[in-house]
Amino acid sequence: MPPVSAALLAQILAAGLAGMSLEGITPEQRVLLLNYLLLLQRWNATHNLTAVRDPRDMIPRHILDSLAVLPFLEPGLVVDIGSGAGLPGIPLAICRPAQDFTLVEPAAKRVAFLRSVVAELGLTNVQIAPLTSEHYQPEILPDRIISRATAPLARLDQMTSHLQGPHNQVLALKGPGVEEELADWPRAASLDIRCHDLHIPDQPSRKLLIWRSPVQMP
């Protein structure tokens, strides 16, 4: 694949942010987002972190998709479950430098990549937890639990049951098939689940589901 100029990538990012009414992201944050994307492209060549290879496609499918959560992300500690290559945690942390993020990811090669990103981009608000979600046992519950295509809703609920409580929120980014996932999740009927449509330029429709458990789960 021939190299793509930094100027072109910056233009694609700027157009996407404008289309999502996220123009408030600063020039410095945009540089960090593009530097993250270039690191992802470089590591992807040998570590296969994502199936998306072209950085022009990575912008809408990874960066903008992650940032679509910003208007719904309230303050407090955010735990990104099954962070993978840092999505959505890294783009969100770049754009919310005063908010703390913990990326929970068990795969060694992805953990190595995340640590490299944090070091090279100087992200002091990001911690890496090299664990499965079930083995991540913080002393204090996070304020926000977020997941992007980690598992079906019923499984995600099970994976994070020990992290959920009446004072925090779960945010799940979902694509097509979310209705089937809801139908296969018996506990959904007892929850007040808010569903928001996310509009990412030139991408299929996405949804953000947000819920809060009425009590801490056993």
Side-chain angles (χ1 to χ4, degrees):
M1 179 186 302
V4 181
S5 74
L8 176 58
L9 293 178
Q11 290 174 5
I12 295 171
L13 177 61
L17 293 174
M20 296 167 63
S21 300
L22 294 176
E23 296 96 330
I25 294 175
T26 68
E28 293 79 11
Q29 290 166 349
R30 296 176 190 222
V31 168
L32 287 175
L33 289 169
L34 292 175
N35 285 344
Y36 163 66
L37 184 146
L38 294 175
L39 283 171
L40 179 56
Q41 183 189 25
R42 186 189 311 161
W43 277 66
N44 207 37
T46 54
H47 292 79
N48 195 30
L49 299 174
T50 170
V52 183
R53 299 289 178 178
D54 191 325
R56 292 167 294 189
D57 294 331
M58 287 181 180
I59 290 176
R61 293 177 63 179
H62 289 333
I63 303 297
L64 298 179
D65 188 72
S66 296
L67 295 182
V69 179
L70 275 177
F72 307 96
L73 187 63
E74 297 179 7
L77 171 63
V78 179
V79 169
D80 180 6
I81 294 295
S83 187
L87 299 161
I90 292 293
L92 292 173
I94 287 172
C95 297
R96 289 282 181 86
Q99 193 164 1
D100 290 326
F101 291 78
T102 296
L103 313 184
V104 180
E105 172 54 49
K109 67 179 181 180
R110 293 171 179 168
V111 169
F113 170 70
L114 294 175
R115 286 174 171 160
S116 176
V117 168
V118 168
E120 293 201 36
L121 301 186
L123 301 179
T124 59
N125 61 329
V126 176
Q127 301 293 322
I128 311 299
L131 302 164
T132 65
S133 58
E134 291 88 347
H135 287 96
Y136 175 64
Q137 302 276 348
E139 294 183 4
I140 300 174
L141 292 181
D143 299 291
R144 318 283 162 232
I145 303 161
I146 196 165
S147 169
R148 178 181 180 265
T150 301
L153 289 168
R155 174 64 180 139
L156 175 65
D157 188 42
Q158 181 184 44
M159 290 164 58
T160 60
S161 62
H162 61 294
L163 300 174
Q164 296 187 47
H167 305 298
N168 62 18
Q169 291 179 320
V170 183
L171 297 88
L173 271 160
K174 287 291 175 179
V178 67
E179 291 81 9
E180 289 82 359
E181 290 188 26
L182 285 168
D184 292 337
W185 179 26
R187 200 170 86 91
S190 66
L191 297 172
D192 180 17
I193 302 175
R194 288 181 286 148
C195 185
H196 302 275
D197 291 320
L198 303 179
H199 300 287
I200 299 138
D202 302 318
Q203 292 297 299
S205 63
R206 297 276 279 162
K207 293 186 182 296
L208 175 66
L209 277 64
I210 303 177
W211 71 87
R212 188 189 306 269
S213 289
V215 295
Q216 184 172 358
M217 298 175 64

